[in-house]
Amino acid sequence: MFIRSLLVSVLSATLITATSAVIGNLAFATTIKEPAVEAASNLPHSVLRLPNVHPGRDPIYAYAKQVLTMALDATADEYGTFELIVSEQEVAQERQLRSLEHSMLDVTWSVTSIEREKQHKAIRIPLMGGLFGMRTLFIRANDTRFNEPLSLAALKTMRAVQGYDWPDTRIFRHNNIPVLETTYRASFRIVAEGFADMFPRSVLEIQNEWDNLSPDDNLAIEPHLVIHYDSPMFFFVSSDREDLATRIAKGLLILLETGELQQSLYALEVYKQSLALLENRQRIELENPLLSEQSRQALATYLPYFTGTPKP
């Protein structure tokens, strides 16, 4: 079928030696997935190491792991059985990616950037149907400046808070929105205490995070705006794991062809919450200078298959 011919473009990525930064040892927990398919006896059994859940992303983590399992299941007759093992240690996003090149993780998932695609091999099929680039804001509960919809010019007079290693930090700065860099966990407190004005979060993250806040946290979800920029989430593997990248890509293309990938996304409660959250919001567009031309082409190719999501 036509979509299978796109496999080469999905897998194309520049192979550049990863950074030589020293990464601490990662301990791994017990197996969380038993071999799912009885493959031929001469096929290998693969053990794949995954990162631990990143705080605030429990539903997204569970979905990504589910999709990876489905993609591996779909290719077991060709590549063999598998099991997934999860790290015991919670690791920041950039360190997860570096761990791929130091043989401490086999697969992770992340929003993409030119730099990340140079250092690691991206499987360029968007896992979240484009929704990850839809950003709503945590603000202080008593911040009356957000009682009416604000313009991009108004946001440029404020300060966002973002993670140290997040591509979003550079995206906001590129669009002349000041950013205070800190850790994920500290970001909520920094907004609540007035050191920053907003904490932009994907619509796929913010409801789960809100549900885990207490009334004493003094935060609210801004009611009027959605900030949009193209920010696809891809699976990543080490730059030298062409075999694994090919297997995952083949599996994802099978799921895309059958509609199982899309239906898995649409069935998520957090997905349904995200669509509801986007209703009647004013959209502000930002430019993402970190998106490679290959990823832009992948979005143009694959986003039309996700007919249940709002168009960027």
Side-chain angles (χ1 to χ4, degrees):
M1 297 178 67
F2 169 73
I3 193 169
R4 293 186 186 275
S5 69
L6 300 169
L7 181 58
V8 173
S9 65
V10 176
L11 294 174
S12 60
T14 304
L15 296 182
I16 295 181
T17 303
T19 66
S20 58
V22 176
I23 298 177
N25 291 331
L26 294 178
F28 290 90
T30 57
T31 299
I32 55 91
K33 174 69 172 63
E34 293 299 324
V37 178
E38 287 294 333
S41 59
N42 62 330
L43 293 177
H45 176 73
S46 300
V47 177
L48 301 177
R49 296 159 297 175
L50 309 182
N52 204 336
V53 61
H54 190 67
R57 294 186 175 179
D58 301 65
I60 295 172
Y61 182 93
Y63 166 74
K65 194 164 60 178
Q66 173 193 353
V67 169
L68 178 62
T69 301
M70 292 167 61
L72 296 170
D73 276 340
T75 54
D77 286 344
E78 181 178 359
Y79 289 93
T81 57
F82 66 93
E83 56 187 310
L84 305 181
I85 298 177
V86 177
S87 168
E88 291 179 345
Q89 185 178 347
E90 180 186 299
V91 178
Q93 187 176 100
E94 198 64 39
R95 190 175 173 188
Q96 290 177 18
L97 290 160
R98 291 199 302 268
S99 295
L100 296 173
E101 305 302 327
H102 292 264
S103 300
M104 295 175 181
L105 292 176
D106 295 296
V107 185
T108 190
W109 45 92
S110 168
V111 295
T112 195
S113 70
I114 293 172
E115 182 178 0
R116 289 178 175 184
E117 292 177 15
K118 285 180 178 179
Q119 295 176 337
H120 321 287
K121 182 169 286 295
I123 294 92
R124 293 190 182 95
I125 296 178
L127 300 178
M128 313 307 296
L131 269 185
F132 215 77
M134 301 281 190
R135 301 274 156 166
T136 43
L137 310 174
F138 275 122
I139 60 173
R140 289 188 303 283
N142 58 354
D143 194 339
T144 59
R145 294 174 298 173
F146 293 91
N147 287 352
E148 299 294 333
L150 298 180
S151 64
L152 176 57
L155 293 183
K156 290 178 180 180
T157 68
M158 300 180 179
R159 183 161 62 173
V161 61
Q162 294 282 268
Y164 289 115
D165 59 355
W166 298 356
D168 311 274
T169 300
R170 293 169 62 188
I171 293 169
F172 275 88
R173 284 180 174 157
H174 173 82
N175 288 274
N176 298 313
I177 298 175
V179 178
L180 174 64
E181 293 181 69
T182 186
T183 64
Y184 170 84
R185 294 184 185 278
S187 298
F188 301 93
R189 176 179 54 80
I190 284 173
V191 172
E193 295 180 359
F195 295 104
D197 303 294
M198 53 189 168
F199 183 21
R201 306 299 294 143
S202 166
V203 291
L204 291 162
E205 300 169 308
I206 198 166
Q207 188 62 55
N208 181 66
E209 293 170 332
W210 169 255
D211 292 342
N212 287 294
L213 294 175
S214 74
D216 294 335
D217 287 321
N218 192 35
L219 292 172
I221 298 177
E222 193 280 332
H224 302 293
L225 303 176
V226 57
I227 298 173
H228 172 257
Y229 47 90
D230 289 330
S231 185
M233 178 178 284
F234 296 147
F235 283 123
F236 283 85
V237 300
S238 171
S239 57
D240 62 357
R241 290 300 308 273
E242 185 78 32
D243 57 335
L244 181 55
T246 299
R247 176 175 184 173
I248 295 173
K250 283 184 177 181
L252 290 177
L253 289 173
I254 291 170
L255 299 177
L256 199 63
E257 285 183 2
T258 61
E260 293 174 84
L261 179 59
Q262 301 92 306
Q263 292 306 315
S264 296
L265 178 62
Y266 302 159
L268 290 179
E269 186 61 32
V270 68
Y271 173 84
K272 299 170 186 176
Q273 293 171 345
S274 298
L275 295 189
L277 189 62
L278 287 172
E279 289 182 0
N280 302 317
R281 284 181 175 264
Q282 173 185 322
R283 185 183 296 193
I284 292 177
E285 296 287 343
L286 300 185
E287 180 184 5
N288 181 358
L290 310 181
L291 202 60
S292 68
E293 183 56 36
Q294 296 97 320
S295 289
R296 294 184 192 279
Q297 293 173 0
L299 288 178
T301 299
Y302 296 116
L303 285 187
Y305 288 89
F306 294 89
T307 57
T309 44
K311 297 296 183 287

